Amino acid sequence: MPIIAPSLLAADFANLKDEVEAVARGGADWLHLDIMDGHFVPNLTIGPAVVAALRPHSQLVFDVHLMLSRPEEYILPFARAGADYISVHVEACTHLHRVLQQIREAGCRPAVALNPATPLSVLDHILGEVEMILLMTVNPGFGGQEFIPSMLPKIASLAAKLRESRRDILLEVDGGITPETAPAACQAGARVLVAGSAVFGSPDREAAIRELRQAGKLNKVRI
Ligand code: DX5
Ligand code: ZN
């Protein structure tokens, strides 16, 4: 059964507390928080103050996705704000191994995110340091983009690599995840589904979450 992580990026920013409570009531497992700096990606979103303000209102796992240049400078503020998982982009880290250790030392679960064009070989020497790999299935920066179909074999290769490693590492997919694309993503090996528009774009968040979870259980599908 996939873990469902609604992405706050598609929520009503004037009502964030209500939005978080709505997806929790609707059966979400995690809350995905997209942090953008206008440098690593061409968009700006929220900082640690907003994460800290939401933390007392939710028991959901806070999955913080840092789309920042120099993420090492922001690990502690987000850990203090209440992040559970912190993902950093491999493309933004000169000293990836060190940053992952910093995340663990700050008391959070370390994760690495890869852009669509980044090869899986970058993971070869850091698998022992992570609890999750986030594969971007769109180019990061904006919600509402279309899933890139050529990411399916990449998901499958990573799933095989993780099985071979015998490590307990989650495989998360992010971008363009809908009831139409979730079946193929899960069949390829995704275990955590991030979904912004597919959840917050629906008037019934509970139905949207249920539909995604069901879709993730389907087999033998093509997109
Ligand atoms: C994109 C973000 C995603 C985004 C997904 O850069 O990392 O988490 O919110 O949005 P949808 O589900 O609409 O593609
Ligand atoms: Zn994200």
Side-chain angles (χ1 to χ4, degrees), residues 7 9 32 34 36 65 67 136 140-144 174-176 194-197:
S7 163
L9 188 62
H32 185 85
D34 287 304
M36 305 186 186
H65 177 191
M67 284 161 275
M136 289 304 308
F142 301 95
D174 183 6
V194 176
S197 323

Side-chain angles (χ1 to χ4, degrees), residues 5-10 32-36 41 43 65 67 89 134 136-147 173-178 194-199:
S7 163
L8 203 61
L9 188 62
H32 185 85
L33 297 120
D34 287 304
I35 315 296
M36 305 186 186
V41 287
N43 197 1
H65 177 191
M67 284 161 275
H89 269 265
L134 187 172
M136 289 304 308
T137 42
V138 299
N139 288 294
F142 301 95
Q145 303 180 76
E146 283 205 4
F147 183 91
V173 288
D174 183 6
I177 300 297
T178 65
V194 176
S197 323
V199 172

Side-chain angles (χ1 to χ4, degrees), residues 90-196:
V90 60
E91 303 85 2
C93 294
T94 309
H95 302 289
L96 178 62
H97 188 275
R98 179 185 289 155
V99 180
L100 295 170
Q101 288 182 326
Q102 273 178 281
I103 297 173
R104 198 178 291 285
E105 280 161 19
C108 299
R109 297 176 185 271
V112 169
L114 271 63
N115 282 337
T118 302
L120 296 176
S121 56
V122 296
L123 299 169
D124 283 352
H125 307 290
I126 49 92
L127 279 187
E129 307 301 325
V130 288
E131 299 203 18
M132 180 166 75
I133 314 281
L134 187 172
L135 288 188
M136 289 304 308
T137 42
V138 299
N139 288 294
F142 301 95
Q145 303 180 76
E146 283 205 4
F147 183 91
I148 302 171
S150 61
M151 292 300 106
L152 285 173
K154 188 179 184 186
I155 299 168
S157 304
L158 177 57
K161 206 179 178 78
L162 294 180
R163 268 196 307 276
E164 248 167 61
S165 79
R166 295 181 184 277
R167 296 179 192 274
D168 195 13
I169 298 175
L170 288 170
L171 197 171
E172 177 175 61
V173 288
D174 183 6
I177 300 297
T178 65
E180 288 70 45
T181 57
C186 287
Q187 201 180 340
R191 287 185 53 204
V192 185
L193 300 177
V194 176

